[in-house]
Amino acid sequence: MTTAQPVSHQPTAHTTAHRTTSALLYLSGVTVSFDGFKALNNLSLLIEPGEMRAIIGPNGAGKTTMMDVITGKTRPDEGQVVFDGQADLTKLDEAHIATLGIGRKFQKPTVFESHTVRDNLLLALAGMRSWYKLLGAAPTKAENDRLAEILSIIRMEAQQHMLGARLSHGQKQWLEIGMLLAQNPKLMLVDEPVAGMTDVETETTAQVLREVNKSHSVVVVEHDMSFVRALGVKVTVLHEGSMLAEGSLDQVSADPRVVEVYLGR
Amino acid sequence: MSQKRFLAWLLPLLATVFMAGSALSADLATLVTNLVTGGYSERDVAITALAASGEERAAPILQALSAGDLYVRTADKIVVIGKGSGKQVALIDAITGKDAGTAAEDDLDKVKVNNRLRGTIDAAVGSLTLMSPNPKVRRQAADSLFTRRDASALAALDPAIAAEKDSAIKRAMTEARAAIVLTTPETTPAQKLAAIALVRDRGDRDAMAVLQIAAQATEGDVKAAALAGAETVRNTLAAWSMAQNVWYGISLGSVLLLAAIGLAITFGTMGVINMAHGEMVMLGAYTTFVVQQVLRSAAPALNEFSVIIALPLAFLVSGAIGVLIERSIIRFLYGRALDTLLATWGLSLVLQQGVRSIFGPTNREVSSPSWMSGSFKVGQLDVTYGRLWIIVFALLVFVALLALLRRTPLGLYMRAVTQNRPMAAAVGIRTPQVDALTFGLGSGIAGLAGVALSQIDNVSPNLGQGYIIDSFMVVVFGGVGNLFGTLVGATALGIVNKFLEPYAGAVLGKILVLVFIILFIQRRPRGLFALKGRSVE
Amino acid sequence: MMTRFLWTGMGRNLRLFVLLVLAVGIVVPALNLLMPKTSPFYVPAYALQLIGKYLCYASLALAVDLVWGFCGILTLGHAAFFALGGYCMGMYLMRQIGARGVYGNPILPDFMVFLNYPELPWFWHGFNHFWFAAPMVVIVPGVLALALGWFAFRSRVTGVYLSIITQAMTFALLLAFFRNDMGFGGNNGMTDFKDILGYSVQADTTRAVLCFASALALAIFLIISGAIIGSRFGTALIAVRDAESRMRFLGYRAETYKLFVFVLSAAMAGIAGALYVPQVGIINPSEFAPGNSIEAVLWVAVGGRGTLIGPVIGAFIVNFAKTYLTGALPEVWLFALGALFIVVTLFLPKGIVGLWAQIRARNLAKKATAA
């Protein structure tokens, strides 16, 4: 369940004038416990601007909890989470964090089922979030153009008027990626993007992510090792809520501790 | 003096002369004669004289006089005590205490009393009864003296205290004596100070009254001591009244627990919003009614146990209907919590109207067995047996349910299905059966609650409606899916309610509790004992 | 921009429906006033009053549907907002009685004289003016909804818990309004109204105007609701209903969206209640009974939640059945009502409108295969 409580609606309330770190995302000593069980245990992590990072780890390693902490869904018991060197994410709520520029794709694709593909993308489109402005606004030309662009990237022009509920699992995954693009965040958190995709789709997804990485920082959580290999980026291995190893995929797979964790003791 | 009065005085006197019996009986006759002759002030003296005589018959005669049961028989001017009213009054000879036949009311002359005489009689009887062989009578006498503080009774109290063997009664008498000493101007300050300590230790409302009166009538040390004593008593009283509130609160809490615990099962573990839960309670209450009706004609001897007989039947009736509801309605609505709310609300209307059609819209009389009526005192705490049994019963149900959930295979299956339905099904648990049984269990417990509530509430088709909102409050407040939370929630809400009542009144108190819960849910949406864990989105 | 806002959201069906509602609101009172009593087209006074009542219920149903059908909040306390609006109107009507009451007190309403009130309670001041009472009809329920919603939505109270909170709210108000010392007439409430804006509430013309006003209010509510749902706000609102936390991760303040609609809906319910009271001539605490709110939810369920036309249709059908059955077969009514709850949830989750849409879709599919 969520332990998040909305704290502030003032974008400037918890941001300081100057940067405290050059990293885009800075996690230090983050600990989260549920009824004594430590889902995250003194976790530290640095993501540089423009970086793409793959996070792997067995089930229960704390990958999703880490995402929850970054996006404001779960409040850490201890530790610092700083975004863009300024914003203390432990004090902000989800909506605020999202408007700062952190986008998230869920493990289980969650699209808005009673809306069309186009409306889903329109909702995600960066910009208008104010409720009273939305009462009278129609999509602008710039917005329509951007929608068309994204529809073509995710190859769903034909399905743009289809309801979310009628999409296949793979289509939902693509729509989610499209929504992330529409949101245009500084940092994308992507949770298991290729689950349920065919090999060809997996390869396409890797391509899309690499393309996206040219203008965004990306954190990918994934089980699929061939996909991680295809991404060809720095890998962080989580285990029991802490970082176990970091480096290229080849480096970490050679690490005896990682082998032990994956193959059992 | 009228001729009649004169004769009334003369004739018994003559009779005594003729009888020339024992001196004692002659004395008594004189005393009794004096009682019925002369003006009020003369008779006042006669009352005190009779009381001081130490006669065995004095107490009943004086009591009869006070109650207006003392007559002079017109025919022979004998003083008699009349029993009963109407055309014929049964008579007892006042002096001998023997049966004196009956007489029409027209043939009797009632001995009149006024309030002043009654006061004198009460004081006189008070001291008389201090020496009674019956301990209950002595206790009453001591207590009545404490509140009246009749200075003339001091003379009677001292020997009574000396003679008293029962320590509790002896203390009551000593306290009465202290109260008299305290309010009599003639006593010394030292005596008064000693008396204040005694009265203070008594610690009830009467004691406080005595101390306050004493404080007004005295000066200096004594006044200070009396005031301090009154303060001490006030604190004692406050402590007892707090204890009484806690007791009422626990009692209300036990009722809430009974009503809510079945809901804790259906709502807490199944996520089903059963708005017809109150009607399951109502059915349990009506089962009790039917059992009593049947026993009354078939086996009147068992009436005393009707409630106990009703328990398993109510469980079965409500439980069976619960299973029926689950199989016919609820099972199609799993995962649509708000829809179950609407469907079961409709069901509750049907059940209410059904009961109304069968049993009528008015309240039905359900009697309490004798072991559930009456009350006793713990210190200054009033404890009624009915409430006590309901608390015991609520705890028994709670413990039994806990044991069922933790120690039996059914409980294991229920927990398994609650936590992970597909997994439970995969390991071979028949989830539909478990669902039906769980819902039946929750409903059956509501039926048990109905038996208990039939003892303290009106058995009518609307019985359940009064409990449904409260029950939801308890479950939500305590934390969904947590039986201990329900226990704590019920008790806490019961006590809070009863503590608010003296200040805010019953209705406003209830409103405040509702507002409190509304605010509480917003602070802690998952209740007092929320299970924490990683959310599943 | 305003007209844009009001017309873009409205589909053709909704526009036709609004015209239908307005037509009812004009034709029914007109037939009552203009037709001779012997005419077969004459609408008797009781039918006029009944239709006026149903129109108010329809507005309440629409208000419930806005929060339930489009926000996913199953409110079990909307009758409280309806009743609060009604009480505001009742207070105005009470003050209009003036010295014509049984006790002839020019200031104090009868029940206050009876209960030995020394003077008018502070919260009764101003209600002798319509210009004061009329905004109160919106403000009082609106502020209550704002307070409740502010706390509840910010604390992320959802689903069943929210339903229970709303039910507790109306239950608490029920208990409070039963108290004599609340100053709202206790158990008996307020009745024996004489005038509204100087016109007798008993007069045929007044009744006709009130019936028309109820239809007009409903039509305006339909237009406003249609515009909101059709706007980008409405798109976001429905998204909040379906996946609230997903919307938060997209940067939307879900609670603000819900709060706006909740307050708007409470205000609509308040206006409906205010129009209801002069037509039925009484307001008392039983309007707060939790059962009333749940019944309003049933109207929506029967008609079709998540549609704008459905609640209006549902309110008319269920209340017509209620009027008929409580008159003809009073024993049967509660059975029927109870059964309706069960049948609708089990077999008609989308209500009558949903069923109609389903049948139409099936016919279309048939035609498509035939062609």
Side-chain angles (χ1 to χ4, degrees):
Chain A
M1 81 206 45
T2 170
T3 47
Q5 290 292 331
V7 174
S8 163
H9 298 288
Q10 305 285 287
T12 52
H14 297 280
T15 54
T16 46
H18 49 87
R19 298 181 65 101
T20 53
T21 163
S22 66
L24 182 66
L25 182 68
Y26 171 84
L27 271 76
S28 169
V30 174
T31 300
V32 174
S33 55
F34 299 123
D35 290 330
F37 163 72
K38 285 197 170 166
L40 288 183
N41 191 3
N42 199 19
L43 174 70
S44 298
L45 186 74
L46 278 178
I47 307 288
E48 294 300 330
E51 188 186 349
M52 167 136 65
R53 176 75 58 91
I55 309 246
I56 61 172
N59 275 328
K63 301 183 300 271
T64 302
T65 307
M66 185 195 76
M67 300 274 221
D68 286 347
V69 167
I70 297 169
T71 50
K73 186 160 181 261
T74 302
R75 293 260 171 267
D77 301 322
E78 283 168 49
Q80 278 181 288
V81 185
V82 180
F83 180 65
D84 216 1
Q86 293 172 20
D88 180 358
L89 298 187
T90 60
K91 297 210 163 56
L92 303 176
D93 67 6
E94 300 101 310
H96 193 161
I97 291 172
T99 48
L100 286 178
I102 296 183
R104 178 172 183 182
K105 192 206 88 64
F106 286 82
Q107 186 177 337
K108 188 179 153 223
T110 39
V111 301
F112 302 111
E113 309 228 319
S114 31
H115 285 319
T116 60
V117 169
R118 190 186 174 81
D119 278 347
N120 268 282
L121 292 173
L122 184 63
L123 281 168
L125 209 56
M128 203 162 318
R129 292 293 183 267
S130 144
W131 63 274
Y132 52 89
K133 283 186 189 149
L134 283 179
L135 274 172
T140 61
K141 171 138 196 330
E143 283 176 321
N144 281 330
D145 291 348
R146 179 70 186 140
L147 285 185
E149 198 182 326
I150 295 167
L151 281 168
S152 88
I153 294 175
I154 60 172
R155 293 165 201 181
M156 289 185 82
E157 294 107 324
Q159 292 89 9
Q160 62 171 309
H161 297 297
M162 207 187 223
L163 286 185
R166 310 188 63 172
L167 299 178
S168 72
H169 184 83
Q171 284 173 318
K172 283 183 184 171
Q173 290 277 37
W174 277 111
L175 178 54
E176 278 243 28
I177 290 169
M179 287 166 76
L180 259 186
L181 292 174
Q183 211 183 335
N184 194 24
K186 290 180 188 165
L187 174 67
M188 287 186 186
L189 305 175
V190 188
D191 202 348
E192 303 201 9
V194 296
M197 282 190 180
T198 61
D199 288 350
V200 179
E201 280 177 322
T202 302
E203 179 48 38
T204 323
T205 308
Q207 269 173 24
V208 169
L209 282 180
R210 278 198 300 268
E211 184 63 30
V212 161
N213 183 226
K214 286 177 183 161
S215 48
H216 306 81
S217 305
V218 182
V219 173
V220 185
V221 169
E222 190 48 78
H223 278 298
D224 187 329
M225 285 303 160
S226 61
F227 176 70
V228 174
R229 192 169 295 280
L231 288 176
V233 295
K234 189 173 172 187
V235 173
T236 298
V237 185
L238 288 191
H239 176 57
E240 291 180 348
S242 311
M243 193 214 291
L244 189 67
E246 206 166 72
S248 73
L249 188 59
D250 292 332
Q251 279 171 336
V252 297
S253 12
D255 190 321
R257 289 175 305 167
V258 176
V259 174
E260 188 187 286
V261 164
Y262 269 92
L263 298 181
R265 51 210 87 177
Chain B
M1 189 184 294
S2 72
Q3 196 186 18
K4 210 172 177 179
R5 281 273 165 83
F6 174 73
L7 282 174
W9 174 81
L10 185 69
L11 281 173
L13 201 68
L14 287 175
T16 354
V17 174
F18 282 125
M19 271 154 65
S22 73
L24 218 72
S25 123
D27 273 353
L28 181 61
T30 318
L31 289 164
V32 171
T33 310
N34 286 345
L35 212 54
V36 300
T37 42
Y40 280 123
S41 53
E42 288 145 6
R43 288 165 60 210
D44 196 307
V45 176
I47 289 167
T48 317
L50 176 58
S53 70
E55 285 286 347
E56 183 97 349
R57 293 291 305 154
I61 293 172
L62 287 175
Q63 275 160 346
L65 176 61
S66 175
D69 287 339
L70 201 66
Y71 299 94
V72 175
R73 188 150 65 194
T74 326
D76 53 8
K77 300 300 169 211
I78 297 254
V79 181
V80 290
I81 297 171
K83 281 269 160 73
S85 56
K87 287 259 159 61
Q88 292 291 314
V89 180
L91 300 177
I92 294 167
D93 187 311
I95 294 164
T96 60
K98 289 192 178 120
D99 189 8
T102 60
E105 218 165 349
D106 293 346
D107 299 331
L108 296 171
D109 201 3
K110 192 173 202 155
V111 182
K112 294 196 175 74
V113 279
N114 64 4
N115 279 339
R116 205 186 94 205
L117 284 194
R118 263 189 213 106
T120 314
I121 293 167
D122 286 348
V125 171
S127 50
L128 263 180
T129 44
L130 281 173
M131 302 293 273
S132 162
N134 185 345
K136 262 191 187 155
V137 175
R138 297 204 302 275
R139 175 82 206 219
Q140 266 176 3
D143 285 344
S144 89
L145 268 179
F146 188 90
T147 48
R148 285 201 326 276
R149 300 179 297 281
D150 181 358
S152 63
L154 266 186
L157 260 174
D158 285 330
I161 292 169
E164 186 56 60
K165 295 275 193 319
D166 184 318
S167 65
I169 300 177
K170 191 165 192 158
R171 199 175 69 232
M173 288 177 173
T174 322
E175 284 163 359
R177 188 179 183 284
I180 297 171
V181 166
L182 207 50
T183 46
T184 311
E186 289 79 27
T187 49
T188 66
Q191 283 174 312
K192 283 197 166 130
L193 285 175
I196 286 172
L198 275 168
V199 173
R200 185 194 61 211
D201 291 347
R202 183 183 163 106
D204 62 1
R205 220 160 274 284
D206 293 337
M208 188 155 84
V210 168
L211 288 170
Q212 279 165 340
I213 292 167
Q216 275 165 14
T218 53
E219 299 284 325
D221 285 355
V222 179
K223 186 182 182 101
L227 284 175
E231 188 56 39
T232 312
V233 174
R234 188 172 296 123
N235 291 339
T236 318
L237 281 176
W240 278 113
S241 107
M242 185 173 279
Q244 184 80 59
N245 273 338
V246 170
W247 168 254
Y248 287 145
I250 291 174
S251 165
L252 177 62
S254 69
V255 171
L256 290 175
L257 178 65
L258 274 174
I261 195 166
L263 202 65
I265 298 283
T266 50
F267 178 38
T269 72
M270 301 176 78
V272 170
I273 318 300
N274 184 13
M275 293 301 266
H277 181 77
E279 278 57 48
M280 300 292 120
V281 175
M282 185 258 295
L283 288 175
Y286 272 92
T287 307
T288 319
F289 167 72
V290 171
V291 165
Q292 287 196 349
Q293 290 299 307
V294 171
L295 285 183
R296 198 158 290 163
S297 52
L302 289 174
N303 236 333
E304 195 68 342
F305 307 102
S306 60
V307 175
I308 292 172
I309 295 168
L311 281 176
L313 290 172
F315 184 86
L316 287 178
V317 168
S318 294
I321 292 181
V323 169
L324 206 65
I325 293 170
E326 200 279 338
R327 285 292 86 190
S328 59
I329 299 175
I330 307 284
R331 73 175 164 131
F332 300 109
L333 298 173
Y334 284 118
R336 288 160 62 191
L338 298 179
D339 284 347
T340 56
L341 190 158
L342 293 179
T344 50
W345 175 268
L347 196 68
S348 79
L349 295 180
V350 171
L351 287 171
Q352 276 176 39
Q353 187 59 31
V355 166
R356 202 173 284 129
S357 301
I358 298 170
F359 294 97
T362 50
N363 293 346
R364 284 298 170 168
E365 176 76 24
V366 171
S367 62
S368 295
S370 61
W371 49 271
M372 277 188 79
S373 34
S375 68
F376 63 97
K377 256 178 142 40
V378 179
Q380 297 183 19
L381 214 63
D382 273 319
V383 178
T384 51
Y385 281 105
R387 293 284 179 166
L388 183 67
W389 280 118
I390 287 179
I391 293 173
V392 170
F393 179 65
L395 288 176
L396 284 178
V397 169
F398 180 79
V399 171
L401 189 59
L402 214 57
L404 180 79
L405 286 181
R406 298 217 170 149
R407 303 243 184 270
T408 65
L410 177 63
L412 181 68
Y413 294 162
M414 276 168 58
R415 281 179 291 139
V417 172
T418 308
Q419 281 163 22
N420 192 336
R421 178 175 297 269
M423 197 57 176
V427 298
I429 296 172
R430 291 186 186 160
T431 55
Q433 279 184 13
V434 174
D435 287 334
L437 285 178
T438 311
F439 200 81
L441 177 67
S443 305
I445 291 169
L448 293 181
V451 178
L453 294 184
S454 74
Q455 297 297 307
I456 54 170
D457 204 340
N458 296 326
V459 178
S460 78
N462 301 329
L463 171 81
Q465 278 200 313
Y467 290 98
I468 185 71
I469 292 182
D470 286 344
S471 307
F472 269 111
M473 294 295 142
V474 166
V475 175
V476 170
F477 178 64
V480 174
N482 187 324
L483 275 188
F484 273 105
T486 308
L487 176 68
V488 174
T491 318
L493 287 184
I495 291 175
V496 168
N497 221 328
K498 286 298 169 186
F499 266 89
L500 281 174
E501 265 180 27
Y503 307 103
V507 176
L508 201 57
K510 201 168 165 72
I511 295 171
L512 289 174
V513 168
L514 284 175
V515 171
F516 164 74
I517 293 177
I518 291 177
L519 294 175
F520 178 86
I521 292 179
Q522 302 184 342
R523 279 262 41 101
R524 300 198 57 162
R526 305 286 152 160
L528 216 49
F529 299 96
L531 300 168
K532 224 176 150 195
R534 199 179 86 178
S535 63
V536 185
E537 282 286 335
Chain C
M1 181 187 140
M2 202 59 199
T3 41
R4 233 197 72 76
F5 165 66
L6 289 178
W7 282 105
T8 43
M10 282 176 62
R12 201 172 57 96
N13 285 346
L14 185 59
R15 278 179 219 178
L16 285 177
F17 194 74
V18 167
L19 291 177
L20 177 71
V21 167
L22 284 173
V24 167
I26 293 167
V27 170
V28 168
L31 290 181
N32 170 259
L33 288 180
L34 303 178
M35 285 289 154
K37 290 202 175 166
T38 49
S39 160
F41 295 108
Y42 173 71
V43 173
Y46 79 87
L48 176 75
Q49 189 203 6
L50 219 52
I51 291 190
K53 229 170 82 172
Y54 291 173
L55 286 166
C56 295
Y57 286 149
S59 290
L60 173 61
L62 181 60
V64 169
D65 187 38
L66 265 189
V67 290
W68 184 34
F70 295 100
C71 271
I73 303 164
L74 176 52
T75 163
L76 299 183
H78 246 57
F81 302 125
F82 184 82
L84 284 174
Y87 263 97
C88 287
M89 179 55 89
M91 286 162 80
Y92 164 73
L93 294 172
M94 276 320 252
R95 296 289 309 270
Q96 293 305 300
I97 297 173
R100 285 170 293 174
V102 177
Y103 295 103
N105 190 312
I107 304 287
L108 294 185
D110 275 347
F111 74 86
M112 289 195 194
V113 182
F114 182 72
L115 292 170
N116 293 321
Y117 274 68
E119 56 183 6
L120 205 62
W122 62 267
F123 47 84
W124 272 77
H125 287 284
F127 275 97
N128 48 334
H129 305 296
F130 189 78
W131 61 260
F132 182 86
M136 282 298 157
V137 161
V138 176
I139 291 170
V140 172
V143 167
L144 178 64
L146 184 68
L148 192 80
W150 173 265
F151 287 115
F153 301 149
R154 275 169 62 91
S155 313
R156 316 247 170 115
V157 182
T158 53
V160 178
Y161 297 91
L162 201 55
S163 301
I164 291 174
I165 283 188
T166 53
Q167 185 170 50
M169 174 199 75
T170 193
F171 190 56
L173 284 168
L174 170 75
L175 294 175
F177 274 74
F178 262 123
R179 288 162 52 91
N180 279 330
D181 46 6
M182 273 288 283
F184 298 110
N187 198 358
N188 298 322
M190 305 172 192
T191 187
D192 291 333
F193 306 132
K194 304 274 192 264
D195 301 337
I196 177 165
L197 289 166
Y199 300 97
S200 165
V201 289
Q202 304 291 341
D204 283 350
T205 44
T206 315
R207 289 182 175 285
V209 170
L210 282 169
C211 179
F212 170 70
S214 307
L216 185 64
L218 176 59
I220 292 172
F221 294 158
L222 282 168
I223 293 171
I224 293 177
S225 309
I228 288 174
I229 300 308
S231 71
R232 283 177 76 180
F233 177 96
T235 311
L237 186 72
I238 291 170
V240 166
R241 176 194 70 188
D242 290 349
E244 180 171 337
S245 69
R246 187 76 180 84
M247 280 297 271
R248 290 183 198 279
F249 289 120
L250 285 180
Y252 290 87
R253 301 214 164 278
E255 61 272 18
T256 321
Y257 288 78
K258 295 203 273 188
L259 192 59
F260 172 71
V261 173
F262 194 59
V263 171
L264 179 79
S265 155
M268 278 167 48
I271 294 173
L275 287 165
Y276 172 81
V277 166
Q279 298 188 67
V280 295
I282 185 168
I283 176 81
N284 63 31
S286 67
E287 297 292 339
F288 287 105
N292 284 17
S293 294
I294 299 188
E295 237 181 276
V297 169
L298 178 71
W299 306 337
V300 178
V302 168
R305 71 183 87 159
T307 70
L308 292 171
I309 298 172
V312 178
I313 293 175
F316 268 83
I317 290 179
V318 176
N319 281 296
F320 178 75
K322 182 178 188 174
T323 308
Y324 174 73
L325 279 180
T326 46
L329 301 157
E331 284 270 299
V332 175
W333 165 240
L334 278 181
F335 285 125
L337 183 65
L340 194 56
F341 270 106
I342 299 168
V343 168
V344 166
T345 44
L346 281 183
F347 304 112
L348 271 183
K350 289 185 175 164
I352 292 169
V353 171
L355 187 72
W356 183 58
Q358 229 170 14
I359 291 169
R360 225 175 48 155
R362 195 176 299 161
N363 286 346
L364 279 178
K366 256 185 209 161
K367 264 183 208 161
T369 46

